[in-house]
Amino acid sequence: MDELDLTAAESKATYEEIRKYVAEHYDGMKVSNLYIAQVKAKYGIIERENYNKAKSDDARQPKCPKEKEEAIVEALKAFKMI
């Protein structure tokens, strides 16, 4: 086994690690857990079912702004999640 190979557990970053990466590399930009979850879902990174779903179908939820989405995608790439 090569020492440089990552296991699945090692390649996962926590939401806190992703927030720190974005803040360090994008001049203190802050991203919420909601935005991180939206970007992860967009790229098919779904770790478990969300049980806090809205009770109505027309519930409004803010969408991740484009610049924050790009920063989160960059962080996910840095952690080799995508």
Side-chain angles (χ1 to χ4, degrees):
M1 185 167 151
D2 188 23
E3 290 181 22
L4 299 177
D5 289 340
L6 285 176
T7 65
E10 290 172 333
S11 67
K12 291 183 182 178
T14 65
Y15 282 58
E16 185 62 33
E17 290 171 330
I18 293 170
R19 276 199 305 273
K20 284 181 182 178
Y21 180 92
V22 170
E24 289 173 7
H25 292 87
Y26 290 89
D27 295 324
M29 179 187 289
K30 294 185 180 197
V31 293
S32 68
N33 286 348
L34 173 64
Y35 292 162
I36 295 170
Q38 287 175 346
V39 173
K40 287 174 76 174
K42 181 178 179 180
Y43 285 89
I45 306 170
I46 300 171
E47 294 162 357
R48 62 178 171 244
E49 183 68 24
N50 179 2
Y51 294 103
N52 283 336
K53 292 183 179 176
K55 299 202 181 351
S56 64
D57 291 334
D58 62 347
R60 298 184 60 120
Q61 193 175 66
K63 299 293 180 201
C64 185
K66 190 69 175 164
E67 65 275 0
K68 290 188 178 191
E69 180 179 341
E70 292 170 358
I72 294 168
V73 167
E74 195 60 40
L76 294 175
K77 287 179 180 177
F79 288 109
K80 297 180 179 17
M81 294 177 73
I82 54 173

